[in-house]
Amino acid sequence: MNAYEWTQTLIFFLVLLALVRPLGSYLARVFAGERTLLTPLLVPCERLIYRLCGVEADREMDWPRYTFGILWFNLIGGAALLAILLLQGVLPLNPQKLPGFSWHLALNTAISFMTNTNWQAYAGESAASYFSQVVGFAVHNFLSAASGIVVAIAAIRGFVRRRSTELGNCWVDLTRSTLYLLLPLSLVFALFLVSQGVIQNFQGYRTVPLVQKTSYNKPKLDAQGNALKDAKGNPVTENAPLTEVTIPMGPVASQEAIKELGTNGGGFFNANSAHPFENPTPLSNLVEVFLILWGGAGLTYCFGEMAGNTRQGWAILTVMLALLVLAVGVNYWAESAGNPLVFHQGVTQANLEGKETRFGIAGSALFTAATTGTSCGAVNAMHDSMTPLGGMVPLSLILLSEVVVGGVGTGLYTMLAFVVIAVFVAGLMIGRTPEFLGKKIEVREMWMSIVTVLTSGVLVLIFTALALVVPSAVASMANPGAHGLSEVLYAFASMSNNNGSAFAGLNANTVFYNVCGSLAMLAGRFAPIVATLAMAGSLAGKKYVPASLGTLPTDRLPFMLWLTLVILIVGALTFFPALSLGPIVEHLVMVGR
Amino acid sequence: MSKHAPQPVSLFDTRLLKAALVESFKKLDPRDLWRNPVMLCVELASVITLVTFVASLSGHNPEPAWFTGQVSAWLWLTVIFATFAESLAEGRGKARAASLRKSRTEVTAKLVARAEFNAPFKVVPAQELKKGDLILVEAHEQIAGDGEVVAGAALVNESAVTGESAPVVRESGGDRSAVTGGTEVIANAIVVRITANPGETFLDRMISLIEGAKRRKTPNEVALEVLLIALTLVFLLVCLNLRPLTVYSVTAAGKGSPVSLTVLVALFVCLAPTTIAALLPAIGIAGMDRLFQKNVIALSGRAIEAAGDVNVLLLDKTGTITLGNREAVEFVPVGGHSEREVAEAALWASLADETPEGRSVVVLARKCCSLKAEALPADARIIAFSADTRLSGLDTAGCRYRKGASDSIVAFVKGLGAAAVPADLADVVDRIARAGATPLVVCRDGEIFGVINLKDIVKGGIQERFQQLRSMGIKTVMITGDNPLTAAAIAAEAQVDDFLAQAKPEDKLRLIKENQEAGFMVAMTGDGTNDAPALAQADVAVAMNTGTQPAREAANIIDLDSNPTKLLDIVEVGKQILMTRGNLTTFSISNDVAKYFAIVPAMMISVYPQLGVLNVMRLATPLSAILSAVIFNALVIPCLVPLALKGTKFRPMPAERLLISNLFIFGLGGVLAPFVGIKAIDMVLGLF
């Protein structure tokens, strides 16, 4: 890394670390119903919402009712989005006259945004109207983020409360996380992004003449719109001249900030944050990465504060950031080492294919690790174009269940499930029945944390196997060989873990991918949510066991190392064979072993 | 020690090994094995490889028959090693139970209608006795069932249960009324009310516990099993997923062959946490057995594990912290008398006192003033201690020697017309009491000579044990009926963390409840009926075998030696069981790293020769690599059986250091050991 990249990265992490505590502390106060800076402004809004919706704000819920509330909330939201997408053609704010989605694409997209995945089997600018973007996607960016946050808050309450059956009121928590956190921050950062050049309008797309006329190989399509292939399976192309270009417009900024802050990741445009209208400058790039990480990191401090042990929050964040730094480092190293095959042809060594020169390798590596370590899935560089090992970094971060700060809320509660498992084994190793934060870890907690941690892995294994067996699914693969396998693995890893980023090169808009993907996203989102809330319910009812000399401290280095190992080992044992047949063998072939 | 005493059985006693071997084959029955789901999966895998072996023989399987045959054989061995470990652990208990059972020969009982010794009786077999029946037991007869003495007192030999050959007194009323079926009355006769139906007696329960027949999985064991089952499921999916992955890769690479069923099954068994799953039942059984070797019977595995978590230990002062009896350590003269005079008076006053305290006065008098205890004079009139007068002594040759509590003696001498008591008496009495000892004032007729300093003797080495407990995070609380002053002094000397003085049963119960409310796990030892409520409330309740029936019923652990410091051993075994489980789990899962490096390159090398780089162990051939991993996976089980049965060594140290050290041994060791082991097996295989 050169001096500029070092400085940029260091400043980034220092700013992030400095702002973790203010956000976390603010969140802790918001969810405890204490007074904050925004209280005078927002309390009337809050009351109005409760009155309109008939919410009894003082009535707390036990875990089944809390869970039911969350599920019901998501179901209604998802159904509304499904309807919007299907009826897009007749709805307003559609200057491009875009038609409604096909049923399976609409289903997949609705579930995708409802589950905070934002997997996009469509290209935003050519498939979604402004109405769908604003009323459908942007709204869900808020709601799905809020859902993740409140589950984490309920999980924290489970650890903190003693002999209680209640986890809080899910409607109050949902309202507060949206009103106090997501809306104000999105507003501020959307304005900042506009200052950097992100657009915000409802105009029709503009067609302008190209400054430099060109031509390209246009793939021939058959009547159904599928690419024609010759006898060898290569696509048939024809030469097409290019003299003008259509520039898509839209209300981008309003969606951009919440896309990162809510770790949603669904780009307004197909190119996502690599598009100059979404992420125009190196500064906007760093701010977007910051927003991706800030919520999840802040929640770790919020956890520490609510648990009365801020060291515990920092310990968890340290484990997360250590893995993040490791991932950024490996990705940077692999990308700057580049592809020797290309290098031998006299091209610059570093692999810049699929990267934006305004971000460079460091800016891309940071974004890539942040977006896949969380459940964001926005991209500012094409993961598919990375070197095999470089591309294995985002894939691995997703496969590790996205705990490298993780999605807002999801990252924390998944991490807490890992902590429970780590505490369980470590507790046995020191001869104590295991406990964490003074709560005994017993059979129920084990079941629930295992469901939280392993669901996504199980889904990935099942669906990749299916995708390689079902003929219609195999036909989606454009790249043969090990790289094709990586693409399939990445697709289901991304959907099962609610990430949403993709290795391109795979035609995902098919019935198989849309339907199986929907199932993966649903199960990958809600099985952990239900398990986490069930665990919180069981933990909240337990009595508190004070720490003694015989208790294992969970906020110090040895346990942090152990936790890191547990995360890495669970991931490695589940995916080593698949990775070795994908990126690893691809790398070995590339370096000419 | 009698022949019934639990003797340490060697780990590899040949008879036990043989019996365990037979038993381990019986346990292959899936109806038995379903209790251990991971091993049931392995058995299923073994059956599948047996099928592929037959297919290989008839040429319907890609691999050579020697390979599938060997894989199948080693997978079967993996299951057998697991059932063998469990059988071996059970076998040791069974051997002991058998010796216990021998002592329970057919007994008959004399059923009586009333609790009288001359009541007419009917002879009935012991099995027909019901709760509430009264039986008469005379000298040299066995007591037919558990019960309570309702009339008489007798000397009972309880060696069948306790292994202790010295007979004990059992008498009606009080704390020594409980008798155990199978024990023998040596002298006198008693009437016993039966308190347990046949099959439910203490001995029956003990035998079934030792045999492991009634052993239930503890919650902690179940939680671990949840983890193991989940991992097994994931590895099953990993293996199922590998088939399409390799089929695709073969098409993509245009060469090689997809992974075969045999190899997939072999990989699955290697990855599944078989090591810990195989040894898990043995660890628990062996833990109970180790306790039994220490003469402790745990009535549930849960109690032992809870013992490992205990934060607060309530200990009776008497017999636990101090020697059972107080001892005279000093004669303090008052009113101008000499020490020798005090000693002489004390000697006379104690001459007929057969209590240990009284005898210790005689011993001290002999030691400090070279006085000889004379034979009791013929004219001696013995004044026994009574609750009313609170003094005792002897009248001889016209002199009245008395010793007793200060106020009693003062009242006694004033009653004899003494004008005044020595001025310094109050000071001396106060000083001794303040130091936690008991002052006994000695007088001859109306004249007070001095004070005997009767002291509680704290057991040797007890401070170190409490220090150990403290370093494990366990707080010790002494419970005593003494006054707070005495209690404080003894607590300070014994270095307990806290004490409860003038404790009544309800105080004990309250103390336990308070601690539990605060989230602590409380252990307590007790023997009296008045301890029963507290015992029932405590998380870990240890009853002395000499205790009463209610106390024993309220407890979840029974100490046959009636030695209260046993709790330390129980805590240790509890921790050992958990640690052994945790360590072997870590070891088992760490092993998978090396197994991947052995098997993954081996099964994919035909498709992607480049993956040969991952063959870091440089194993000879793909088939030998897979076989080596399978063999290692099987052999590691018997290698770890001794560890599972003996338990990880427990050293008291802070939790964090313990974690680091165990992670090094079992985590890092678990990663490295199979690299060495698999390579070694591969080299051996290369010789053939």
Side-chain angles (χ1 to χ4, degrees), chain A residues 428-433 440 443 447 450 458 461 464 468 477 481 544-546 549 556 573-574 577 581 585 593, chain B residues 219 224 226 230 237-238 241 245 248 252 309 470 518-519 575 578-579 583 586 596 604 608 610 655-656 662-663:
Chain A
L428 290 186
M429 287 175 84
I430 59 160
R432 296 268 296 196
T433 59
K440 288 266 176 226
V443 181
W447 268 123
I450 281 171
V458 166
L461 290 172
T464 43
L468 293 172
M477 295 164 70
Y544 173 78
V545 184
L549 262 182
R556 289 157 53 99
L573 291 184
T574 316
L581 283 175
V585 78
R593 291 270 183 170
Chain B
L224 178 57
V226 165
L237 286 172
V238 166
N241 173 271
L245 281 187
Y248 169 81
D309 279 350
R470 208 166 295 127
K575 283 191 181 290
L578 295 182
M579 280 166 64
N583 290 339
T586 309
Y596 263 139
M604 293 170 185
Y608 292 121
Q610 295 89 343
E656 203 163 56
N662 281 335
L663 273 181

Side-chain angles (χ1 to χ4, degrees), chain A residues 189-246:
Chain A
F189 280 96
L191 290 175
F192 169 80
L193 288 171
V194 168
S195 82
Q196 295 297 299
V198 177
I199 60 169
Q200 176 79 9
N201 61 50
F202 284 98
Q203 296 164 9
Y205 296 177
R206 292 193 197 161
T207 302
V208 292
L210 270 182
V211 179
Q212 191 182 0
K213 309 264 184 296
T214 182
S215 66
Y216 72 113
N217 286 332
K218 185 179 173 189
K220 271 186 160 172
L221 304 179
D222 64 13
Q224 282 83 45
N226 292 323
L228 280 174
K229 290 184 180 175
D230 64 12
K232 285 182 192 161
N234 294 322
V236 183
T237 59
E238 59 187 347
N239 194 285
L242 204 59
T243 54
E244 52 179 29
V245 67
T246 304

Side-chain angles (χ1 to χ4, degrees), chain A residues 119-191:
Chain A
W119 170 265
Q120 295 166 292
Y122 62 92
E125 58 270 49
S126 55
S129 71
Y130 293 159
F131 188 86
S132 302
Q133 294 271 23
V134 172
V135 181
F137 299 157
V139 167
H140 269 81
N141 282 353
F142 283 94
L143 302 188
S144 65
S147 301
I149 293 173
V150 301
V151 172
I153 295 296
I156 299 174
R157 290 193 185 123
F159 279 104
V160 173
R161 294 192 172 180
R162 295 165 193 179
R163 293 180 182 279
S164 158
T165 53
E166 272 125 25
L167 295 177
N169 183 313
C170 78
W171 308 118
V172 171
D173 291 340
L174 283 168
T175 311
R176 286 196 180 145
S177 57
T178 312
L179 271 186
Y180 286 80
L181 173 71
L182 300 174
L183 275 175
L185 285 179
S186 298
L187 185 67
V188 171
F189 280 96
L191 290 175

